[in-house]
Amino acid sequence: MPERTMPETVVSLSDLGRDALALAGGKAANLGELLRAGMPVPPGFCVTTAAYRAVARDPAVAAAIVRLAAVAATDAAGLAAGAAAVREALLVAPVPEAIAAACAAGYAGLGPQPRVAVRSSATAEDLPDASFAGQQDTILGVRGEAAVLAAVRRCWASLFTERAVAYRAPRGIDPRAVELAVVV
């Protein structure tokens, strides 16, 4: 049986372009395009949707997402409670060691303990009938490997804020189908 290769979980912004939307989200893909065009973009990296998926496979996270998916779009209290459960599960789910190490290496490559912005990079920012801009978190002034990983978790969890879930639910967007990359 052929060996399965794992998609990259952390990539340099300079390795991204518009073809990387599903892997890196709109913000990261566009930053990569700007770099390719020679624009002055600070160095950085992207924690890809593959990393999010790896953490979202945790049984507690997966179960919370399945429960949220079963809530009717008209049940505001149920959506809020379900969203909170997913956020809590994402904040404590184990991050695979390889992903944590890749994040640490990406951060170390930016220099000695720099302060960074950790920004959500959604795979569906704007669609013809919906705009998701600004619904996920950005954390500024983050310093240190552990703080960067904590901020990445916060970005993942922000995919399930009450506001974001309430916006997606009436549009029929299944919570099992959403993913998020993170730019550092």
Side-chain angles (χ1 to χ4, degrees):
M1 183 189 277
E3 182 180 325
R4 284 181 42 191
T5 60
M6 183 174 169
E8 287 187 88
T9 57
V10 175
V11 297
S12 172
L13 291 178
S14 63
D15 292 336
L16 299 172
R18 68 175 59 103
D19 59 335
L21 183 63
L23 180 70
K27 190 174 286 108
N30 287 327
L31 287 170
E33 281 295 316
L34 289 171
L35 280 165
R36 288 174 188 220
M39 301 301 291
V41 175
F45 61 93
C46 176
V47 183
T48 70
T49 55
Y52 166 80
R53 280 192 305 276
V55 173
R57 280 193 295 269
D58 175 77
V61 175
I65 292 172
V66 166
R67 286 191 303 274
L68 176 60
V71 176
T74 56
D75 181 359
L79 289 172
V86 176
R87 285 192 313 275
E88 290 169 17
L90 279 166
L91 289 171
V92 299
V95 174
E97 193 172 311
I99 294 171
C103 285
Y107 178 70
L110 300 177
Q113 296 289 306
R115 289 193 189 280
V116 295
V118 181
R119 306 196 63 196
S120 301
S121 184
T123 56
E125 283 288 336
D126 293 307
L127 301 174
D129 59 346
S131 176
F132 301 91
Q135 290 189 6
Q136 283 80 46
D137 284 354
T138 292
I139 300 100
L140 303 175
V142 180
R143 187 177 208 172
E145 290 176 12
V148 167
L149 193 56
V152 168
R153 286 173 173 279
R154 282 182 52 198
C155 287
W156 288 334
S158 75
L159 189 56
F160 295 95
T161 62
E162 240 180 270
R163 176 181 55 168
V165 169
Y167 187 79
R168 290 190 304 258
R171 288 164 178 77
I173 299 170
D174 189 320
R176 295 168 289 201
V178 296
E179 297 180 332
L180 190 76
V182 180
V183 174
V184 178

